[in-house]
Amino acid sequence: MSDKLPILIVDDETQVLNALKRLFRKEFEVTVCDKPLEAVEVLKQREFAVIISDMKMPLMSGAELLSQAFIINPNTARILLTGYSDIDSTALAINEGKISNYVSKPWRNDDLKEIVMQACDQYQLKQSVIRLQNELAEKNKQLQSYNDELESKVQARTSSLSQLTDKLKNVNQKQRKLFHDVIEMINLIIEDTTGSDDGHIKRVASHCRLVAKHMGLEKPLITQAYLAGLMHEIGKVSLPDELVKCTENELTKEQLTAKQQNAIKGAEILQKLPNLQIIGKGILHQYEHYNGTGLPEHLIADNIPTISRILTIVNDYDKLLIGRITGEKMQQDQAMLTMKTLATEFYDPHILDVYFELLSSGKVFENHDIDVCVGVSCLETGMHLTQDLLNKQGAVILTAGTEITPSIIEKLQKYQKDWNYIFNVFVH
């Protein structure tokens, strides 16, 4: 197939056609017609970058032909060859045939070639615009399909959100309160999607805020770290259930990469809202590694947004505790040791030290709205459970809100010893 642009030349004089064909054949794929009606049929069969037509021809004038050409393919550039006496007809062609340019006979070859070259450039530009418009339309169609799918999933989970909806109907507070209610609804959607109501999202958000505060970050960044924690799994609504609900060590490298695409989807959702673009960027880079081996852009060290570095550490720590990574729950010391061995590869060492110092010092408990996972040996009288405590068989033995007493600690220690079972207790 020729990579030359096709042009069509129409003139009832054979000598003129031959002259024009010789003039353009090196630069273009030239098609000639000596009958305008034949040219119309040719135009219907294929698209040309440029059509050059004489004005005076039998049965159909050049103005009429170019008018037909505009109807068949308005993107084709149309050039009219006219004589001095054709000025009135030329004006008609400009209005009705919408010609791109006209050239008076006799023409200068260099001038005519320059005009045709410019017309071809204009045609190629139009083609580029059309191609981009088609690509944009396809992207918009995909986005609409994704939005429809997301809406369908939201509707499918409406029953599980009825309790929240009842609460929201009674809300009559200021904009800040309304905003947090909407975030709460998103969290429930995410929890329903992942099949988990273990408090992971709220815990990650609260701990991200606490770490950001102790790092001395400015108040807007502290808030953004908190919101990134609240919404860091929003992209999981786009993933198939088999990826969402599997522990990470069960997945192949390709499956894990596919699962981590939820960060990109989540960022796409949030970055459509101007006030959430920074948060979306923080979520986008939550799977970056400190040494540059992460996704999606292989950012290194401080090039990774601060929010993302905080989120990565807090999120991985909590996932180790509740068994989302290995399938087995870890105690606090085990999770810390696991992450410390990967500190220089995966995590910002400074932020890791700040977080683990907070967890070890007990400063987390100064914030009563933040729950922490501890082992039985770390329980203290007066603490309160933030979620139900289950035994090895999965039965509830203590309900959320229960105050920890010496008797409870003693019984839990005995159960662990008798059943060779480790409790992870969430308290504040």
Side-chain angles (χ1 to χ4, degrees):
M1 180 181 292
S2 174
D3 57 356
K4 297 178 181 179
L5 287 176
I7 66 173
L8 176 64
I9 302 173
V10 187
D11 197 300
D12 60 330
E13 297 182 29
T14 303
Q15 291 182 339
V16 174
L17 283 179
N18 291 337
L20 290 174
K21 186 173 184 178
R22 287 193 300 272
L23 179 62
F24 291 111
R25 66 186 176 186
K26 288 185 178 181
E27 291 86 1
F28 302 99
E29 178 190 340
V30 181
T31 301
V32 297
C33 290
D34 59 359
K35 298 180 181 62
L37 292 177
E38 177 185 340
V40 172
E41 296 304 315
V42 173
L43 285 168
K44 292 178 180 179
Q45 296 172 11
R46 65 174 300 188
E47 183 174 328
F48 293 89
V50 177
I51 175 173
I52 305 170
S53 174
D54 186 30
M55 181 62 180
K56 288 187 176 181
M57 295 182 294
L59 301 180
M60 179 182 289
S61 70
E64 293 172 323
L65 172 60
L66 295 183
S67 179
Q68 288 289 315
F70 174 75
I71 295 172
I72 296 170
N73 189 347
N75 295 319
T76 298
R78 296 164 298 282
I79 299 174
L80 187 66
L81 298 177
T82 68
Y84 179 77
S85 60
D86 298 331
I87 189 64
D88 293 336
S89 299
T90 301
L92 179 65
I94 292 174
N95 293 327
E96 295 184 1
K98 296 181 174 59
I99 66 171
S100 307
N101 212 328
Y102 69 92
V103 178
S104 299
K105 293 180 179 179
W107 63 82
R108 295 179 66 252
N109 285 347
D110 291 343
D111 292 343
L112 181 57
K113 288 186 74 171
E114 179 64 24
I115 290 172
V116 172
M117 289 290 188
Q118 291 176 358
C120 285
D121 289 342
Q122 185 181 35
Y123 171 80
Q124 289 180 308
L125 179 60
K126 286 182 179 180
Q127 294 301 107
S128 297
V129 171
I130 291 171
R131 183 173 63 255
L132 291 175
Q133 287 175 336
N134 290 338
E135 291 176 359
L136 180 60
E138 181 61 27
K139 294 294 183 183
N140 287 337
K141 183 179 178 180
Q142 294 175 0
L143 179 60
Q144 183 61 49
S145 175
Y146 171 72
N147 287 338
D148 291 342
E149 180 183 353
L150 179 60
E151 183 178 355
S152 175
K153 288 185 177 182
V154 172
Q155 292 174 350
R157 294 173 172 86
T158 299
S159 59
S160 66
L161 298 177
S162 59
Q163 186 176 6
L164 174 63
T165 303
D166 292 340
K167 291 181 181 179
L168 292 181
K169 287 180 180 179
N170 298 322
V171 172
N172 187 20
Q173 298 181 8
K174 295 182 179 180
Q175 184 177 6
R176 182 177 179 82
K177 178 64 170 60
L178 177 60
F179 176 76
H180 283 285
D181 285 336
V182 172
I183 295 297
E184 178 70 13
M185 182 174 67
I186 292 174
N187 289 337
L188 290 176
I189 294 172
I190 297 170
E191 288 178 354
D192 192 60
T193 299
T194 58
S196 173
D197 58 354
D198 51 20
H200 169 74
I201 293 174
K202 289 184 179 179
R203 198 159 47 250
V204 169
S206 298
H207 286 217
C208 282
R209 178 172 56 190
L210 188 64
V211 172
K213 182 178 179 180
H214 279 263
M215 288 175 61
L217 301 184
E218 296 181 357
K219 189 173 181 180
L221 274 177
I222 295 173
T223 301
Q224 290 160 10
Y226 173 69
L227 294 176
L230 283 177
M231 293 184 282
H232 75 278
E233 291 190 334
I234 189 172
K236 287 189 176 181
V237 298
S238 67
L239 299 180
D241 289 346
E242 60 268 19
L243 288 182
V244 173
K245 297 180 180 179
C246 283
T247 57
E248 294 182 7
N249 284 3
E250 293 177 327
L251 302 175
T252 65
K253 182 178 180 181
E254 291 74 17
Q255 288 174 323
L256 182 59
T257 299
K259 184 172 185 177
Q260 292 176 346
Q261 296 300 306
N262 78 86
I264 298 175
K265 293 295 184 181
E268 287 177 355
I269 294 171
L270 296 179
Q271 287 178 348
K272 296 185 182 304
L273 304 174
N275 293 334
L276 297 180
Q277 288 181 352
I278 295 178
I279 299 165
K281 186 177 181 181
I283 290 173
L284 174 65
H285 297 291
Q286 63 179 293
Y287 297 116
E288 300 284 2
H289 294 163
Y290 199 67
N291 65 358
T293 60
L295 298 173
E297 297 179 6
H298 308 293
L299 301 182
I300 299 177
D302 291 347
N303 291 324
I304 305 171
T306 303
I307 294 175
S308 305
R309 283 180 275 145
I310 294 173
L311 176 59
T312 298
I313 291 171
V314 175
N315 189 30
D316 280 4
Y317 174 75
D318 201 75
K319 287 193 295 184
L320 285 170
L321 292 181
I322 62 180
R324 286 195 184 183
I325 294 180
T326 65
E328 297 290 336
K329 296 180 180 179
M330 287 188 183
Q331 293 191 51
Q332 184 181 39
D333 292 343
Q334 291 177 293
M336 287 183 176
L337 180 61
T338 299
M339 294 180 68
K340 284 179 179 177
T341 59
L342 300 172
T344 57
E345 297 179 27
F346 286 3
Y347 310 116
D348 183 321
H350 171 66
I351 298 177
L352 194 69
D353 288 343
V354 170
Y355 185 40
F356 287 175
E357 181 183 349
L358 282 170
L359 294 172
S360 302
S361 66
K363 291 182 181 179
V364 177
F365 295 105
E366 297 173 1
N367 299 267
H368 298 296
D369 61 332
I370 298 179
D371 62 340
V372 181
C373 179
V374 298
V376 173
S377 61
C378 297
L379 288 176
E380 297 179 6
T381 300
M383 291 179 174
H384 290 80
L385 294 181
T386 58
Q387 54 184 268
D388 294 344
L389 185 63
L390 308 180
N391 64 13
K392 190 173 184 178
Q393 291 74 31
V396 177
I397 57 175
L398 293 173
T399 59
T402 299
E403 182 176 350
I404 300 299
T405 64
S407 175
I408 288 176
I409 295 175
E410 182 180 351
K411 290 178 180 179
L412 292 177
Q413 289 173 338
K414 185 177 185 305
Y415 185 93
Q416 286 189 146
K417 182 178 180 181
D418 293 344
W419 289 87
N420 190 27
Y421 179 71
I422 301 298
F423 284 111
N424 272 350
V425 189
F426 289 92
V427 295
H428 62 62

